[in-house]
């Protein structure tokens, strides 16, 4: 028999250790099992913090929700040379400027590699009205997404995009359960930046997730697709003195929490 109270206490202790290790910075955490022993453990999960690139998941949901309603064609083609440039690395630089890709494929680039020019074009195709409607429809009551991913918006303006751990959990659960969002699930499970939640897990444990980063901000949200139990996790931070160290600590606490849940369920 599973000791749910014991599992809850053990996970809460791990989260407390992670959040107190943040020094003067702020850390918000939400962990929820999606099957097996039903547990939800949170620390300041209603705190509004910068979302950074976590908002790219909203673009994916908005694109395929709109396509499902017949409001736009995700297979419309776009010339690579017509897309905005960036001072940051972009996977689009591997393509010839005269080649074309679909809006669907640009969404894939935005979610698999976190490519900013790809995300910015998808955002322009959708428009603010559709983005806001998606936020409302999914129930992201504390989320705002007024800024994009252009060079001008990646500094202080980028911090205008805000969310909570509670909202990000709603978003990843919506992606998990909605049939026509299969492409988004496929993009996120193939996300290339695996330095946070998946970093300490076994290589054969898939993680469907998206990170978000700005100076002092180290975020991650997704679902650990462990064969024993699936576990949703959200980490939002602000004011971090060392982004690399915070990313490592997210990986460490994620591995311990998954181990507690999977090993505890076997007792």
């Amino acid at each position: 028999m599973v000791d749910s109270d014991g599992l809850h206490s053990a996970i809460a202790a791990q989260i407390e250790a992670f959040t107190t290790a943040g020094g003067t910075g702020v850390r918000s955490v939400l962990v929820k099992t999606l099957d097996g022993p039903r547990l939800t453990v949170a620390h300041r999960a209603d705190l509004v913090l910068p979302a950074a690139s976590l908002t790219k998941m909203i673009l994916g949901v908005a694109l395929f929700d709109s396509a499902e309603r017949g409001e736009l064609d995700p297979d419309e083609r776009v010339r690579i040379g017509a897309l905005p440039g960036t001072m940051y690395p972009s996977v689009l630089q591997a393509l010839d400027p005269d080649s074309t890709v679909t809006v669907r494929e640009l969404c894939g680039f935005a979610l698999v590699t976190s490519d900013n020019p790809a995300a910015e074009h998808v955002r322009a195709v959708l428009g603010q009205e559709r983005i806001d409607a998606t936020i409302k429809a999914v129930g992201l009551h504390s989320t705002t997404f007024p800024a994009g991913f252009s060079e001008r918006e990646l500094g202080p303006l980028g911090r205008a995009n805000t969310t909570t751990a509670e909202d990000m959990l709603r978003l990843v659960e919506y992606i998990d359960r909605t049939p026509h969002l299969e492409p988004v699930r496929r993009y996120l499970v193939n996300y290339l930046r695996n330095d946070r939640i998946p970093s300490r897990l076994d290589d054969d444990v898939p993680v469907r997730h998206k990170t978000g980063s700005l100076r002092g901000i180290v975020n991650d949200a997704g679902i650990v697709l462990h064969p024993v139990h699936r576990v949703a996790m959200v980490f939002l931070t602000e004011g971090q003195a060392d982004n690399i160290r915070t990313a490592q600590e997210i990986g460490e606490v994620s591995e311990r929490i998954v181990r507690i849940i999977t090993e505890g369920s076997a007792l």
Side-chain angles (χ1 to χ4, degrees), residues 7 10-12 14-15 30-35 37 39 196-202 204-207 222-235 250-266:
L7 287 178
I11 295 167
Q14 292 297 328
I15 291 175
L30 182 54
V31 174
K32 180 181 179 181
T33 55
L34 300 184
D35 45 37
L39 297 166
R196 299 176 194 179
I197 291 174
S199 64
R200 299 285 181 140
L201 299 176
D202 291 340
D204 60 351
V205 177
V207 180
I223 299 175
V224 177
L225 303 172
H226 196 281
V228 177
H229 295 304
R230 298 182 308 147
V231 185
M233 294 184 173
V234 182
F235 296 89
I250 289 173
E252 291 164 359
V253 71
S254 297
E255 188 275 333
R256 289 193 292 267
I257 289 171
V258 170
R259 182 155 36 88
I260 288 167
I261 291 170
T262 57
E263 293 181 0
S265 66

Side-chain angles (χ1 to χ4, degrees), residues 100-232:
T100 63
V101 294
T102 65
V103 175
R104 180 196 305 269
E105 289 167 336
L106 286 175
C107 181
F109 288 139
L111 292 178
V112 173
T113 74
S114 205
D115 191 272
N116 286 329
E120 187 63 6
H121 185 81
V122 174
R123 183 172 178 269
V125 167
L126 289 165
Q128 193 64 45
E129 186 175 340
R130 281 200 187 99
I131 292 170
D132 290 342
T134 297
I135 289 170
K136 182 177 180 180
V138 180
L140 311 182
H141 306 300
S142 300
T143 296
T144 59
F145 189 0
F149 305 97
S150 65
E151 304 292 272
R152 182 180 64 85
E153 295 168 302
L154 292 178
L157 286 177
R159 295 172 187 264
N161 296 333
T162 59
T163 192
T164 64
E166 291 175 339
D167 276 6
M168 285 299 100
L169 176 64
R170 291 188 190 97
L171 181 63
V172 298
E173 287 189 296
Y174 180 76
I175 293 169
D176 183 59
R177 69 172 180 265
T178 304
H180 66 259
L181 295 181
E182 185 280 330
V184 178
R185 292 193 289 273
R186 176 162 41 88
Y187 301 152
L188 293 175
V189 82
N190 286 286
Y191 185 48
L192 295 180
R193 300 188 180 186
N194 287 335
D195 64 329
R196 299 176 194 179
I197 291 174
S199 64
R200 299 285 181 140
L201 299 176
D202 291 340
D203 290 342
D204 60 351
V205 177
V207 180
R208 187 194 302 148
H209 75 123
K210 181 73 185 72
T211 64
S213 305
L214 290 167
R215 185 180 295 276
I217 294 168
V218 187
N219 297 340
D220 202 358
I223 299 175
V224 177
L225 303 172
H226 196 281
V228 177
H229 295 304
R230 298 182 308 147
V231 185

